[in-house]
Amino acid sequence: MDWNADLYTEKHAFVFQYGAGLIDLLAPKTGESILDLGCGSGELTQQIADRGAAVVGLDASEPMIAKARQQFPALDFRLGDATHFELPERFDAVFSNAVLHWVTDFEAAIRQIKKHLKPGGRFVAEFGGKDNVKQITDEVTRQLQKRGYPLPVSWWYFPSVGSYTSALEKHGFRVNVAQHYDRDTLLNDPERGIIDWVEQFGGNFFPGVDPADQASILEDTQNALKPTLFREGRWYADYKRLRVVASVEGV
Ligand code: BEZ
């Protein structure tokens, strides 16, 4: 996935605005060390730092890390992938908002998260859960199919509570909180809400698709979703969130 960091911060600010509630669950304290895994453009990393914690922001996207460094030059941002990162530090907590659904090798990510926690450390995360954005993805798929394009293989990981908490337990975490909830998410642009969302996040639907077809797929997808995802003049995405807090043994 190639990220356009400017488009992301301009049109998809809801990603980090909703994440602010997750910071309350993280409850960072002065003196704690925290890893913000998949920090994107750094807004939540800054909010964690504002609560007095020493925070490292890690992201696999060079444009995002560049944007984060430009916006928050006093913070420590590093480039790294959730499945392979190797940092010298061990953290009191690993925090991750709206990222882990991009990581299909979820077991590798869980392994790396655990490895980077101190004994007694905690993992606090929210990402897309089972059936996340299903209305949108089903409709794009239908529109591709109608035009004779092959069906894309899913590149997202939207697990149920059962499967994700089992994976955490298998890797030695104790799951303290797990929640799967609906959170229809208000999109920025009242004219092009769904089109913008698919353009920003759904690029993997379109390799090999003729640009004129892509434009009509986006239009037709948005029109088809109007009865369910357009309310009182605003577009919503049908987000389903999975939220977890888990801890490792120790004092
Ligand atoms: C999400 O936050 O649920 C999400 C964002 C972009 C693509 C897919 C899911």
Side-chain angles (χ1 to χ4, degrees), residues 193-206:
I194 297 293
I195 293 173
D196 282 349
W197 190 94
V198 178
E199 280 186 334
Q200 169 83 16
F201 298 118
N204 290 347
F205 278 115
F206 300 114

Side-chain angles (χ1 to χ4, degrees), residues 98 101-102 128 132 156 158 197 201 239 241:
H101 45 252
W102 294 103
N132 192 40
W156 285 316
F158 296 141
W197 190 94
F201 298 118
Y239 278 29
R241 312 319 283 164

Side-chain angles (χ1 to χ4, degrees), residues 188-229:
N188 211 34
D189 191 321
E191 307 298 324
R192 295 172 46 91
I194 297 293
I195 293 173
D196 282 349
W197 190 94
V198 178
E199 280 186 334
Q200 169 83 16
F201 298 118
N204 290 347
F205 278 115
F206 300 114
V209 173
D210 179 87
D213 281 346
Q214 178 171 335
S216 77
I217 288 168
L218 292 171
E219 281 288 326
D220 290 357
T221 295
Q222 179 162 285
N223 287 337
L225 292 171
K226 200 157 188 176
T228 51
L229 296 181

Side-chain angles (χ1 to χ4, degrees), residues 34-241:
I34 295 180
L35 175 64
D36 181 3
L37 180 61
C39 61
S41 41
E43 284 77 6
L44 296 180
T45 323
Q46 178 64 58
Q47 289 184 32
I48 294 168
D50 290 344
R51 305 261 193 123
V55 61
V56 173
L58 188 80
D59 204 281
S61 158
E62 283 189 37
M64 284 296 190
I65 286 292
K67 181 87 184 173
R69 286 180 177 148
Q70 177 209 327
Q71 295 198 109
F72 308 106
L75 296 185
D76 181 353
F77 292 106
R78 304 185 203 168
L79 196 61
D81 182 282
T83 60
H84 293 105
F85 67 100
E86 295 289 350
L87 303 179
E89 297 94 339
R90 295 296 176 260
F91 296 91
D92 293 300
V94 174
F95 171 88
S96 184
N97 179 58
V99 168
L100 292 172
H101 45 252
W102 294 103
V103 182
T104 50
D105 190 354
F106 60 94
E107 296 223 28
I110 291 172
R111 230 177 275 122
Q112 292 313 103
I113 290 163
K114 176 145 186 268
K115 181 173 171 182
H116 285 80
L117 282 170
K118 292 179 186 170
R122 63 198 188 281
F123 169 46
V124 178
E126 182 170 307
F127 58 104
K130 189 169 175 340
D131 292 341
N132 192 40
V133 292
K134 188 172 180 339
Q135 290 189 52
I136 299 175
T137 55
D138 281 357
E139 190 54 44
V140 177
T141 303
R142 234 186 320 272
Q143 297 294 338
L144 285 165
Q145 236 171 344
K146 215 164 84 178
R147 290 162 178 81
Y149 288 106
L151 296 189
V153 175
S154 177
W155 60 92
W156 285 316
Y157 169 62
F158 296 141
S160 66
V161 165
S163 62
Y164 197 63
T165 56
S166 300
L168 288 171
E169 287 173 352
K170 177 176 149 193
H171 288 277
F173 279 94
R174 175 178 171 203
V175 178
N176 311 109
V177 175
Q179 196 184 2
H180 185 197
Y181 66 99
D182 293 354
R183 194 201 66 206
D184 278 1
T185 294
L186 179 63
L187 301 177
N188 211 34
D189 191 321
E191 307 298 324
R192 295 172 46 91
I194 297 293
I195 293 173
D196 282 349
W197 190 94
V198 178
E199 280 186 334
Q200 169 83 16
F201 298 118
N204 290 347
F205 278 115
F206 300 114
V209 173
D210 179 87
D213 281 346
Q214 178 171 335
S216 77
I217 288 168
L218 292 171
E219 281 288 326
D220 290 357
T221 295
Q222 179 162 285
N223 287 337
L225 292 171
K226 200 157 188 176
T228 51
L229 296 181
F230 190 71
R231 288 173 232 137
E232 294 167 2
R234 309 301 302 268
W235 285 103
Y236 293 82
D238 56 323
Y239 278 29
K240 313 268 184 275
R241 312 319 283 164

